[in-house]
Amino acid sequence: MARVKLDNYVIADAPRLGLRGWLRWIWRQVTSMRVALILLLLLALASIPGSVLPQWPQDAAATRQFISDNAFWGPVLDATGFLDVFGSAWFTAIYVLLFASLIGCIAPRAAHHYRELRRPVAATPRSLARYEGAGPETVASSPDDAVAAARAALRPRAGRLGALTGYRVRVDRREDGSLALAAETGHVRELGNLVFHASLVLVLLAVAYGTLFTYRGQAIVVEGRSFTNAVVAYDTFSSGSLFDPADLDPFTLRLDSLDAEFSDTGRPLHFQANVTFTEPGEDAVRTDISVNHPLESGDAKIYLQGNGYAPVITVRDAAGEVAFSGPVVFLAQDAAYTSTGVIKVPDVSTGEQLGFKATLYPTFLEGPFAVASIHPDPANPVIEMLAYTGDLGLDSGVPQNVYRLDESQLSPVQDADGQPVTLRLALGETVELPDGLGSVTFEELPRYGAFDLRADPSLPYLLVAAMLTLAGLAVSLFASRRKVWVVARSEGAATVVSGAAYAPAHDAGVAAVLERAMAAAAGREATAPAGEREPS
Amino acid sequence: MNPTDLSVMALGGATVLYAIAMVAYAIRLARVADDKVAARAAVAVPAGGAADGLPVEAAAPASSPGAKAAKAAGIARSTTLVGAALHAVGLAARGIDAGHVPWSNMYEYTISGSFFAVLVFLIVQRRRDIAFLGAGVTGFATVALGLALTVLYKDVDTLPPALQSYWLVIHVSIATIVTGIFAVSFIATALQLMRDSRDRGTRWTGDRVRWLDAVPSAPALEALSFRLNAVGFVLWTFTVMAGAIWAEHAWGRYWGWDPKEVWSFVIWVLYAAYLHARTTQGWAGRRSAWLAIAGFAALIANFTVVNLFFQGLHTYAGS
């Protein structure tokens, strides 16, 4: 016990908080509405850097660039999680606290609501003067009939969600002989509120479940080639920590052709991959994949995420032997599909290794100062390339980017004047390299499709949780919370009926309900609601 | 006349009519405020100077109380209605011209979002008298349409493959409708804050903003904006969910913290905070109103700043 000064006159013995007391105090703080509000605002505020600064998960290249461009702030922001906001400790802390607050708030409320539902309706207040009232009206029928009529009027109309949205009613015979009807509705509002908040927890759980079991891979497939679904076949592959690679369905996907339509101005109109899809033990199916129309295979979906050109290049070495032949994936750099690619030729029979940095112009146009592609369609495809000789660095064991040439041990092939030689090849052409190094042929120009395969077993659960969230939210905001009272008492031979209603300020419809009940009690036609029109 | 010209001319006509309606609504507000002052004077005079013949002067305007206001209101209402009809024609012509729903780039969002703002105003106006919002709503529509026609205008074009989906109809239409609802409720909230300040005597107390006396009390405005915000919040929740379903369909993931997604989340959280604040002691009233204002500011930022300056998957929205 500690002596605590309550005010200037009273000093009382108050219990020390102790560990349990402190924990309880902290819990009470976390679950208070005020703290929930502050956490919500913090959540909004903390999200904003995630849209302003480059983020690792969204764009690793831009993030790396940002860090190297900003010698001081780059590493500082990276270390403090600002370059991966939504995976950072502080963002996680905010939403974990928020959900703790939410659970701590709705669990007791759910229990309270359950008890509330079982409790009888509160009796009609002694005086109705505090509330928006109606009457008194003198009616002919007896108090019992008047109240019974009012009660019938408050019964939900047929066809509506009556049982849920109807009024719970109680009738008391008071000491003064009057009959008091108390009706209230609004329990679905709180129910919706609870469903909404509980469903948010379900959403979070579904997302967490998905994160553990999801997998996603990217693969580039050139026209006429196939892809077999296995982790090693992907260019990149990532998965949740509980994903088992043996779960991959070993289907084969052959890209028969890739249709790419462009308008005359080069705007993309339609992309479609025509594929042959074969699941093990089943017949091959010819189908197509296009943007917004993924191919579904079991749990997984296969998306067409990109496309481009993969020119087939053949390189002959100094001895005239074919040292390289095959499609090379070029990455489009602009809307006219000016694309860049790299050809690495390590397996030459004589001499040094060869490397090429190439640019493809699908519709080549040479101006006075520059060359460009003017349309993404291959109307006049030309490849320009720079050749290098030396060591490609492939034997060092360090994994290399296939789209980049490591020039550290390479030297550009030069002409007699010592200038680097730019080779230019139209489709079908062969160009000899200087100094008898060999030749390069531009054989064909197939397209490729960039496919994305993704499976997330949580999606059905997430959808259900989301729909529950929406339904709960709508009910919690639109269901009305109203109380209506009608009191009837005998005055001589006549019966005097008065009524009152209570609803939150934004609910203007309650007046009509009260009028309905009053009209029924008085046995007259309900007047049209005097209007929610406010004099202004 | 081809659909392109029809669309632009109808939208131009709507802009002009909205501008006229805005002026008429403003005049109406000022007249209503004048009438209130006159009515108060008429009540006050007999106590003081009945002998000076002042009651006669005071009675003169009282013979036609609200006549000028009613005239202005009539002009305002009819120009708004005709403006909205022209606006609808402009939108429909644009849609027919383009061969797809008229909300696939910034120009089209702007013309459809401002249309929905006016439409929401007209629908609510049928049920309750909210003429006091008229100047704000038609002003908003005038500015939005004016900017759309002058700065944001884009010739019709085919849809890029990423937008070729029925989700464009579902997700984006609801998003534009929500923008309209939140715009109307924003105006009510702004009026609520101004009126509240005037009543407290802290700001907006001058005679030049006497029209504020003609708008309903701060609690009445709060109740109105709450109802709109509640509808808006439910629809915004739907927008975000529909967007997630579409993203799963098109990009292979339902949520990826793309800048547009980040800001949609921020907007959702801000309006959620507003709804909580309304029922929290010390936050109800002014503070919760400021949260609604912040939510609308984020909505506008999501439409302007995010479209124009941030790189993301939604970049075609800026074109």
Side-chain angles (χ1 to χ4, degrees):
Chain A
M1 293 289 191
R3 305 284 287 173
V4 175
K5 196 170 167 186
L6 290 183
D7 60 32
N8 280 338
Y9 304 102
V10 182
I11 292 181
D13 284 328
R16 282 185 191 283
L17 273 179
L19 181 64
R20 278 179 71 184
W22 274 106
L23 287 176
R24 183 172 299 163
W25 181 82
I26 289 171
W27 181 245
R28 208 164 279 163
Q29 290 301 307
V30 167
T31 57
S32 79
M33 187 71 110
R34 200 159 305 214
V35 171
L37 203 50
I38 288 164
L39 286 171
L40 272 174
L41 293 179
L42 273 178
L43 192 66
L45 200 64
S47 309
I48 294 174
S51 71
V52 180
L53 295 167
Q55 300 287 299
W56 280 114
Q58 275 74 39
D59 194 346
T63 313
R64 208 171 291 121
Q65 188 67 38
F66 176 81
I67 295 176
S68 64
D69 287 352
N70 297 277
F72 176 74
W73 282 111
V76 167
L77 291 172
D78 191 29
T80 46
F82 278 91
L83 302 185
D84 182 10
V85 166
F86 304 103
S88 70
W90 42 272
F91 191 82
T92 312
I94 295 172
Y95 76 74
V96 165
L97 274 175
L98 192 62
F99 272 93
S101 163
L102 187 156
I103 293 168
C105 183
I106 59 165
R109 273 177 80 161
H112 178 77
H113 185 59
Y114 178 72
R115 285 195 302 273
E116 191 75 8
L117 276 180
R118 297 165 65 93
R119 245 189 21 209
V121 176
T124 308
R126 284 273 132 222
S127 161
L128 297 180
R130 281 178 53 207
Y131 305 98
E132 194 169 324
E137 283 183 51
T138 309
V139 305
S141 55
S142 71
D144 287 77
D145 289 346
V147 164
R151 182 176 188 162
L154 289 173
R155 210 160 270 150
R157 290 169 193 169
R160 294 204 183 172
L161 294 165
L164 278 174
T165 58
Y167 283 82
R168 299 196 306 147
V169 178
R170 145 182 194 158
V171 178
D172 293 292
R173 194 169 295 281
R174 288 172 163 172
E175 292 146 17
D176 60 358
S178 61
L179 210 56
L181 167 84
E184 61 181 45
T185 186
H187 34 281
V188 277
R189 194 181 173 94
E190 175 68 0
L191 186 68
N193 194 4
L194 293 172
V195 168
F196 168 68
H197 285 96
S199 304
L200 283 181
V201 179
L202 291 183
V203 168
L204 189 72
L205 289 177
V207 170
Y209 169 68
T211 316
L212 290 177
F213 288 95
T214 184
Y215 65 90
R216 167 169 217 165
Q218 281 92 28
I220 283 180
V221 185
V222 179
E223 280 179 318
R225 306 223 162 189
S226 296
F227 163 81
T228 304
N229 189 26
V231 171
V232 289
Y234 285 102
D235 300 328
T236 58
F237 189 85
S238 57
S239 62
S241 48
L242 296 182
F243 165 75
D244 180 358
D247 290 346
L248 281 184
D249 183 23
F251 61 78
T252 344
L253 184 79
R254 189 189 127 92
L255 178 61
D256 301 324
S257 63
L258 192 127
D259 302 339
E261 285 174 41
F262 299 92
S263 71
D264 292 344
T265 57
R267 250 176 87 93
L269 296 177
H270 188 61
F271 299 123
Q272 179 174 317
N274 302 303
V275 298
T276 306
F277 183 70
T278 318
E279 291 209 70
E282 288 183 36
D283 289 341
V285 181
R286 293 180 67 98
T287 178
D288 56 74
I289 306 174
S290 58
V291 183
N292 274 314
H293 290 281
L295 175 65
E296 296 196 25
S297 141
D299 275 354
K301 289 201 187 91
I302 307 166
Y303 301 86
L304 176 64
Q305 292 293 54
N307 65 80
Y309 291 105
V312 176
I313 306 283
T314 299
V315 179
R316 290 187 169 76
D317 61 17
E321 302 286 331
V322 173
F324 175 92
S325 185
V328 182
V329 171
F330 277 45
L331 299 181
Q333 305 295 318
D334 60 21
Y337 278 54
T338 306
S339 313
T340 57
V342 160
I343 305 151
K344 297 178 187 180
V345 189
D347 302 322
V348 284
S349 60
T350 66
E352 290 183 300
Q353 294 181 330
L354 293 170
F356 300 88
K357 271 169 49 174
T359 305
L360 166 74
Y361 303 93
T363 303
F364 181 78
L365 187 77
E366 186 165 21
F369 305 109
V371 295
S373 173
I374 54 165
H375 196 277
D377 275 334
N380 177 28
V382 166
I383 295 178
E384 282 196 340
M385 53 172 84
L386 291 169
Y388 294 81
T389 58
D391 184 353
L392 292 166
L394 292 172
D395 305 325
S396 64
V398 180
Q400 269 200 8
N401 185 335
V402 294
Y403 302 111
R404 194 170 281 172
L405 205 59
D406 176 8
E407 290 175 53
S408 59
Q409 298 169 74
L410 294 172
S411 50
V413 173
Q414 294 166 341
D415 60 14
D417 303 334
Q419 292 298 312
V421 182
T422 301
L423 310 169
R424 181 179 290 179
L425 299 97
L427 185 58
E429 276 186 354
T430 301
V431 171
E432 296 291 326
L433 294 171
D435 309 329
L437 286 167
S439 68
V440 185
T441 311
F442 178 8
E443 312 258 8
E444 287 175 68
L445 189 58
R447 293 181 195 264
Y448 68 81
F451 294 96
D452 211 339
L453 184 126
R454 157 130 189 194
D456 187 339
S458 71
L459 291 180
Y461 305 107
L462 195 61
L463 185 64
V464 170
M467 278 161 42
L468 278 174
T469 307
L470 191 63
L473 179 65
V475 170
S476 79
L477 286 172
F478 301 143
S480 42
R481 193 173 52 221
R482 296 166 178 169
K483 290 181 178 174
V484 175
W485 301 285
V486 175
V487 176
R489 65 172 194 282
S490 307
E491 273 188 13
T495 301
V496 174
V497 181
S498 50
Y502 170 77
H506 60 81
D507 180 3
V510 71
V513 176
L514 177 61
E515 169 58 20
R516 205 167 74 222
M518 286 297 288
R524 59 173 167 83
E525 284 287 303
T527 53
E532 306 161 5
R533 290 184 167 256
E534 305 173 36
S536 62
Chain B
M1 183 158 51
N2 62 32
T4 312
D5 293 343
L6 175 66
S7 172
V8 169
M9 283 168 64
L11 293 174
T15 315
V16 173
L17 285 172
Y18 286 152
I20 295 171
M22 176 184 69
V23 173
Y25 272 122
I27 290 173
R28 177 199 159 276
L29 264 188
R31 292 280 181 263
V32 171
D34 288 350
D35 291 344
K36 282 197 174 177
V37 172
R40 232 174 279 152
V43 172
V45 160
D52 315 354
L54 266 172
V56 184
E57 270 183 40
S63 64
S64 60
K68 284 179 177 170
K71 193 175 175 192
I75 294 172
R77 194 166 302 174
S78 44
T79 44
T80 309
L81 271 175
V82 178
L86 276 181
H87 201 160
V89 168
L91 268 187
R94 172 77 183 189
I96 292 164
D97 193 14
H100 54 76
V101 286
W103 45 76
S104 74
N105 59 34
M106 255 180 106
Y107 168 67
E108 292 176 351
Y109 297 147
T110 312
I111 58 174
S112 46
S114 52
F115 174 71
F116 286 122
V118 174
L119 192 68
V120 167
F121 169 72
L122 288 174
I123 289 172
V124 180
Q125 173 77 30
R126 280 176 62 87
R127 298 194 47 192
R128 44 169 66 197
D129 186 4
I130 53 163
F132 53 89
L133 292 181
V137 174
T138 49
F140 172 81
T142 309
V143 172
L145 272 184
L147 276 178
L149 289 169
T150 52
V151 181
L152 300 170
Y153 183 78
K154 279 271 186 306
D155 286 328
V156 290
D157 216 334
T158 50
L159 285 180
L163 292 185
Q164 291 166 10
S165 166
Y166 56 90
W167 285 105
L168 175 69
V169 181
I170 304 171
H171 166 65
V172 187
S173 67
I174 302 293
T176 15
I177 290 171
V178 178
T179 309
I181 295 175
F182 279 147
V184 176
S185 95
F186 163 76
I187 293 161
T189 307
L191 285 178
Q192 174 203 340
L193 282 169
M194 292 165 79
R195 175 70 200 254
D196 189 51
S197 296
R198 185 174 175 86
D199 289 348
R200 287 156 183 253
T202 47
R203 295 183 68 193
W204 306 102
T205 49
D207 217 30
R208 298 182 64 178
V209 287
R210 202 171 66 192
W211 56 268
L212 273 175
D213 291 334
V215 307
S217 66
L221 286 167
E222 206 282 334
L224 173 67
S225 70
F226 164 67
R227 292 188 85 173
L228 288 167
N229 281 332
V231 176
F233 185 67
V234 172
L235 290 180
W236 187 251
T237 310
F238 177 81
T239 303
V240 171
M241 285 175 182
I245 295 172
W246 188 8
E248 202 277 322
H249 224 67
W251 300 324
R253 87 287 183 292
Y254 55 85
W255 196 265
W257 296 113
D258 174 73
K260 200 82 173 181
E261 292 168 346
V262 171
W263 279 86
S264 300
F265 175 74
V266 169
I267 293 161
W268 192 84
V269 170
L270 282 173
Y271 277 104
Y274 155 80
L275 289 174
H276 283 94
R278 280 189 78 247
T279 57
T280 305
Q281 274 239 314
W283 284 75
R286 291 188 69 87
R287 277 198 199 177
S288 65
W290 276 111
L291 286 177
I293 301 249
F296 187 71
L299 191 81
I300 294 299
N302 196 19
F303 179 62
T304 53
V305 178
V306 175
N307 277 2
L308 298 174
F309 300 111
F310 292 168
Q311 281 299 315
L313 290 166
H314 285 84
T315 40
Y316 42 74
S319 66

